Amino acid sequence: MAQYARGSAVAVIRLRNPPVNALSRAVLQALEDGLKKADADPSVKAVMICGENGKFSAGADIRGFSAPKRLGGALGPIVSLIESSEKPVVAAIEGVALGGGLEVALGCHYRVAHVKARMGLPEVTLGLLPGAEGTQRLPRLIGVPAALDMITTGKHIPATEALKLGLVDEIVEENTIEAAIRLANKVIGQPLGPRRLSLKPVPKVPNMEAFLDEALAKVKRQARGCLAPELCFQAVRAATRSPFAEGVRRERELFQVLLSSGQAQALQYAFFAERAVRRWATPGGASWSSAAPQPVRRAAVIGLGTMGRGIVTSLVKANIPLVALEQDLENLNKGRKAVMLLLEREAMKMEGGAQVLDFHNPARLQFTVDFDLLRDVDLVIEAVFENMALKKEIFHKLSKICKPGALLCTNTSALNIDEIASATNRPQQVIGTHFFSPAHVMRLLEIIYGRHTSPTAIATAMQLATALKKVGVVVGNCFGFVGNRMMFPYVQQAVFLLEEGSRPDAVDQVLEDFGFKIGPFRMSDLAGLDVGWRSRKDQGLTGPSLPAGTPARQRHGQRYSPLPDLLCERGRFGQKTGKGWYLYEKAGGRTATPDPWLLNFLSQYRDTHGIRTRFIDQEEILERCLFSLINEGFAILAEGIASGPEHLDVIYINGYGWPKHRGGPMFYASTVGLPRVLAKLQKYSEAHPDVPGLQPSAFLKKLAAVGNPPLKEWMSYLSQQSSKL
Ligand code: 3HC
Ligand code: NAI
């Protein structure tokens, strides 16, 4: 609600809807009532609008967009009402003024912000555009280039930048409310015409049309299939071409298009999913509500290879003092150089730079080959080679050296957490922390609890994720956990499609058109084909430990493609060797071109194995890759490895480049319709009976049979199912 108070000539309207003062229908009504009351009261000479609890407002109540009586459209007229007030209205911006919150402030005649406040129009990230006249007022206030940037990216800007842009009139370090009241008193009686943004012309840019063409091309390039950025652009362009009222009409039309688009629903689902996964629970009954984290005052990272370097960088950025350990001096020096380079680059991006990060200070970042220095750390993250024997050896050592309460984390991609924990004297303090490469950039942290992992250990790992500004997702222990386990059938299908007649670039193109940042073959070349090869050798699927007489295209009675192994045997490891599924300009090159050698090799391979080449259309490529991944997701849910489909979706969006505007794989399945996913899997599985990944999971079948319930009800069918067992 909004609270109205009048103590002097300045009436105060306080937006109140904890925790972020979202503009629900009730808040809007109270705001309107407050404005009318102030208008009607002759003793009131000015109005100040602020938010409760140090936050102005995070904008429209996002849940209201999916309510039967939708919120969209209700706020614009209230912003106009503020602007048309005959008494000056001042916004006192503390905390955040986002989306509709900032649009309310733009309707005010003056804006005072606290120095620590952040402002932005992040609607684009929810698949929308600022629909309360923000696309028309902001360009009039700060000019088209800056407004376009804010509106099409949704970025939050600090108050200091807002002041430079002219978005706010004043910033204060102390009491924003008092400063706003002071300003309101000062401007009583001054003409309001020049302060009404709707009356201002849009500032000219030399060669506006050429500027807009270039801006549109950039927006389209970055949107990769997401509608909202382009429609945001169109709304701002309308401001440059039409009078205010017409621009507002155009904004409303475009807002309605987006509001009813599936993409807005997907992006809003993703917003809430990311918040829902913070409330973790395990089948054993541990949960976020009862478990308390332990403090991490000092940490350690073991192994400074690809992953360790990024993890160290993340910890330094989070201001956690740490020890970085390598196996020998040569690797230590290599790792230290690489870490320092990463940190220098990060520091350059930050205000305050290297001094803020303080990474040259050995009390904050110490490099060593001596395990003894790990005695007093609160948490260790191991990131050595993916080898069970080595990891067990390290964990055994750690359990002897580290203090009793220290948490021992392993950054494994797929290995069994329980087996690693068995090498220690404290399995309750062993947990998987699966970072994604590059670890200082990627937001996902998959947190894997083992059979004995304590709730405190899980809570501490989740707290670490927050400190590192990552999204922590708690999952159970199985080979590949959630993310990689779902990835296996997807990549497997991609390779099978090559065997049957497709090409790497054709498969990649279909998945990139769907919205993935990078298709499976480009991804495999980037990550290095040797990584999977080593793992398959360890599993006895290829290499010297493969029993003689094993059929080339079969393992344990299931279809297997030796294609990736054959490439590795020829030294084709991907980008690092200049050749993989594609050809690169040089070893370490990044420009992939289709390789005639590979196409010829594929054709000979098909001849050798008597495979009839067939044309495979885009639909089949997409469905076989995505539906097999989704199918594995249903199996994961049924096994209790993750506590809900949101977890899988958050993992895929933040760790695997799944297009956010499609909401994640499980949300996507719900939009396709589970009966359709099931029917397609059944069809492909009949055509390929030796591929278990295509056989529909029992849980998917169950959900389709009970009538395709909405995603948020899926898990209730699982408990009904298991309670019957
Ligand atoms: N509507 C409804 N609920 C919201 C909300 C909103 N606009 N913004 C945040 N919340 C909820 C969150 O879901 C969360 O709920 P939970 O505790 O039940 O999980 C709670 O408020 C706290 O949010 P966070 O956990 O995200 O808190 P943080 O402190 O980390 O972040 C924030 C605060 C920066 C404000 C962040 O919540 C945020 O970015 N919110 C969304 C802002 C936004 O996109 N606004 C535009 C809305 S659309 C609009 O205004 C349309 C208009 O143009 C017509
Ligand atoms: P890497 O080969 O780049 O680095 C491993 C490092 O560990 C090397 O620098 C090596 O010298 C060091 N090391 C080996 N034995 C050691 C010991 N006894 N003591 C101290 N240091 C030792 O490997 P990478 O890619 O960083 O992978 C590390 C772990 O992270 C693996 O378990 C891997 O599966 C996992 N992972 C890798 C990802 C990737 O994209 N590379 C992604 C997610 C997880």
Side-chain angles (χ1 to χ4, degrees):
M1 295 266 280
Q3 199 182 31
Y4 178 85
R6 191 180 59 77
S8 64
V10 182
V12 173
I13 300 177
R14 197 179 290 272
L15 307 170
R16 194 166 62 176
N17 185 11
V20 293
N21 300 324
L23 303 169
S24 62
R25 209 167 270 284
V27 172
L28 292 186
Q29 187 58 58
L31 174 57
E32 188 179 346
D33 293 347
L35 288 165
K36 288 185 174 157
K37 217 178 207 172
D39 188 45
D41 184 343
S43 67
V44 169
K45 306 293 179 207
V47 180
M48 194 270 292
I49 303 180
C50 61
E52 178 96 335
N53 275 337
K55 288 178 188 130
F56 190 74
S57 166
D61 184 341
I62 302 166
R63 291 187 202 276
F65 293 130
S66 50
K69 224 175 144 205
R70 283 176 176 179
L71 239 191
L75 181 58
I78 295 176
V79 176
S80 286
L81 188 70
I82 298 172
E83 193 192 74
S84 60
S85 163
E86 291 303 330
K87 301 173 183 177
V89 186
V90 180
I93 302 174
E94 297 174 298
V96 286
L98 297 172
L102 184 58
E103 289 173 298
V104 165
L106 288 171
C108 296
H109 306 113
Y110 297 89
R111 286 158 291 279
V112 176
H114 188 265
V115 67
K116 292 214 171 115
R118 284 183 295 143
M119 280 151 262
L121 291 173
E123 287 87 342
V124 68
T125 63
L126 299 169
L128 297 172
L129 53 77
E133 308 178 358
T135 64
Q136 305 305 299
R137 280 199 180 81
L138 191 64
R140 285 174 163 80
L141 182 60
I142 64 170
V144 175
L148 253 186
D149 184 37
M150 278 182 73
I151 295 172
T152 59
T153 63
K155 69 180 182 194
H156 299 183
I157 60 166
T160 44
E161 194 181 334
L163 184 68
K164 281 188 206 141
L165 289 172
L167 177 53
V168 296
D169 301 293
E170 191 182 327
I171 53 176
V172 292
E173 296 201 358
E174 299 295 325
N175 194 321
T176 318
I177 308 290
E178 278 173 13
I181 292 180
R182 244 189 337 267
L183 179 65
N185 273 308
K186 196 169 109 189
V187 297
I188 288 169
Q190 290 186 11
L192 289 175
R195 307 298 309 180
R196 294 193 170 110
L197 296 180
S198 68
L199 304 181
K200 275 172 80 98
V202 172
K204 294 263 175 292
V205 171
N207 217 345
M208 177 73 89
E209 285 307 309
F211 166 79
L212 287 173
D213 287 348
E214 211 171 293
L216 176 60
K218 185 174 162 204
V219 163
K220 278 188 170 169
R221 221 177 20 250
Q222 290 174 350
R224 294 201 346 268
C226 185
L227 269 179
E230 192 174 340
L231 269 62
C232 283
F233 170 88
Q234 288 180 21
V236 175
R237 187 174 57 191
T240 69
R241 292 184 174 168
S242 321
F244 186 81
E246 212 172 294
V248 166
R249 262 197 302 280
R250 183 74 183 128
E251 179 193 273
R252 281 194 191 142
E253 269 168 30
L254 293 167
F255 186 79
Q256 287 307 322
V257 171
L258 288 175
L259 192 57
S260 51
S261 76
Q263 292 194 358
Q265 281 152 27
L267 285 160
Q268 286 159 34
Y269 160 82
F271 176 86
F272 288 115
E274 193 172 314
R275 281 148 185 85
V277 300
R278 293 180 198 153
R279 297 184 194 81
W280 58 270
T282 69
S287 89
W288 66 280
S289 59
S290 52
Q294 59 189 39
V296 176
R297 295 189 192 90
R298 195 168 165 77
V301 174
I302 304 181
L304 299 177
T306 310
M307 295 308 290
R309 295 165 190 184
I311 297 170
V312 169
T313 305
S314 275
L315 288 163
V316 171
K317 281 180 74 184
N319 221 359
I320 301 175
L322 78 143
V323 183
L325 185 139
E326 254 293 347
Q327 57 176 330
D328 54 38
L329 284 175
E330 192 188 336
N331 279 296
L332 184 73
N333 286 332
K334 218 163 90 189
R336 183 205 320 251
K337 254 194 207 151
V339 166
M340 287 301 176
L341 197 68
L342 281 179
L343 284 167
E344 299 284 357
R345 281 198 207 134
E346 290 301 304
M348 266 163 43
K349 294 186 217 154
M350 295 169 75
E351 225 174 293
Q355 272 169 347
V356 174
L357 291 182
D358 201 16
F359 52 85
H360 292 293
N361 176 357
R364 302 205 65 83
L365 173 58
Q366 187 176 13
F367 290 90
T368 188
V369 288
D370 182 1
F371 265 84
D372 265 350
L373 293 187
L374 270 48
R375 274 186 197 289
D376 66 342
V377 299
D378 303 301
L379 175 145
V380 182
I381 302 173
E382 163 277 313
V384 303
F385 305 128
E386 184 80 338
N387 177 291
M388 181 55 91
L390 175 63
K391 296 213 188 243
K392 281 172 87 169
E393 184 192 316
I394 296 220
F395 273 73
H396 181 65
K397 214 163 172 177
L398 288 175
S399 82
K400 288 209 285 194
I401 289 175
C402 293
K403 65 182 181 189
L407 188 65
L408 309 180
C409 312
T410 171
N411 179 57
T412 166
S413 310
L415 299 178
N416 189 337
I417 306 297
D418 289 332
E419 192 176 341
I420 296 174
S422 72
T424 73
N425 56 8
R426 54 179 94 169
Q428 73 284 0
Q429 277 151 247
V430 176
I431 192 162
T433 46
H434 183 200
F435 288 77
F436 288 71
S437 179
H440 61 298
V441 176
M442 297 293 286
R443 285 188 79 219
L444 180 63
L445 183 64
E446 216 178 7
I447 294 171
I448 308 107
Y449 59 86
R451 193 192 306 271
H452 303 290
T453 308
S454 70
T456 307
I458 303 176
T460 307
M462 276 301 266
Q463 181 179 256
L464 177 73
T466 309
L468 302 184
K469 296 201 166 69
K470 297 197 185 292
V471 191
V473 186
V474 175
V475 302
N477 182 25
C478 62
F479 189 72
F481 319 126
V482 166
N484 284 344
R485 177 169 159 186
M486 288 169 75
M487 187 64 13
F488 296 140
Y490 164 88
V491 172
Q492 189 185 50
Q493 285 304 313
V495 177
F496 288 166
L497 287 163
L498 290 198
E499 286 192 328
E500 292 164 35
S502 199
R503 305 159 44 123
D505 52 321
V507 174
D508 280 347
Q509 195 59 52
V510 169
L511 290 153
E512 285 163 18
D513 287 348
F514 176 78
F516 272 99
K517 288 199 179 101
I518 184 166
F521 293 109
R522 266 187 257 275
M523 170 57 91
S524 161
D525 273 359
L526 177 69
L529 273 74
D530 51 323
V531 178
W533 192 35
R534 215 173 304 132
S535 160
R536 289 190 298 279
K537 281 197 269 192
D538 288 348
Q539 293 172 62
L541 294 170
T542 189
S545 55
L546 185 69
T550 307
R553 297 180 55 236
Q554 221 182 56
R555 299 290 183 274
H556 312 300
Q558 299 170 9
R559 179 169 167 188
Y560 177 85
S561 175
L563 273 175
D565 303 332
L566 295 174
L567 260 58
C568 287
E569 284 164 19
R570 285 160 179 76
R572 297 180 70 105
F573 292 171
Q575 286 189 6
K576 61 177 89 160
T577 56
K579 288 175 195 161
W581 298 108
Y582 292 93
L583 191 61
Y584 297 84
E585 66 278 22
K586 56 175 192 237
R590 292 180 174 200
T591 317
T593 43
D595 186 353
W597 177 89
L598 185 92
L599 300 183
N600 189 34
F601 176 76
L602 285 175
S603 150
Q604 281 176 12
Y605 172 89
R606 291 183 199 116
D607 289 347
T608 308
H609 295 286
I611 304 169
R612 193 172 49 84
T613 304
R614 64 185 183 90
F615 170 74
I616 302 172
D617 63 18
Q618 298 183 356
E619 184 176 298
E620 180 172 348
I621 293 175
L622 194 69
E623 289 175 349
R624 279 181 55 187
C625 290
L626 296 189
F627 291 178
S628 56
L629 178 152
I630 288 165
N631 195 34
E632 194 66 39
F634 281 109
I636 284 171
L637 291 178
E639 287 170 28
I641 295 290
S643 47
E646 296 86 356
H647 291 62
L648 279 48
D649 287 334
V650 171
I651 286 175
Y652 262 78
I653 289 171
N654 292 289
Y656 292 84
W658 180 282
K660 198 171 184 179
H661 62 271
R662 293 190 189 268
M666 307 318 279
F667 181 87
Y668 175 68
S670 75
T671 61
V672 172
L674 302 190
R676 183 175 159 85
V677 176
L678 175 62
K680 289 297 181 133
L681 279 168
Q682 271 161 344
K683 178 182 126 179
Y684 294 126
S685 147
E686 275 161 27
H688 306 278
D690 53 352
V691 182
L694 290 171
Q695 284 161 23
S697 106
F699 187 33
L700 169 61
K701 283 190 194 157
K702 160 113 186 171
L703 289 173
V706 296
N708 192 25
L711 177 141
K712 58 179 184 308
E713 290 172 19
W714 289 359
M715 297 313 275
S716 65
Y717 288 92
L718 195 59
S719 44
Q720 279 169 23
Q721 188 184 39
S722 24
S723 62
K724 280 190 205 130
L725 291 174

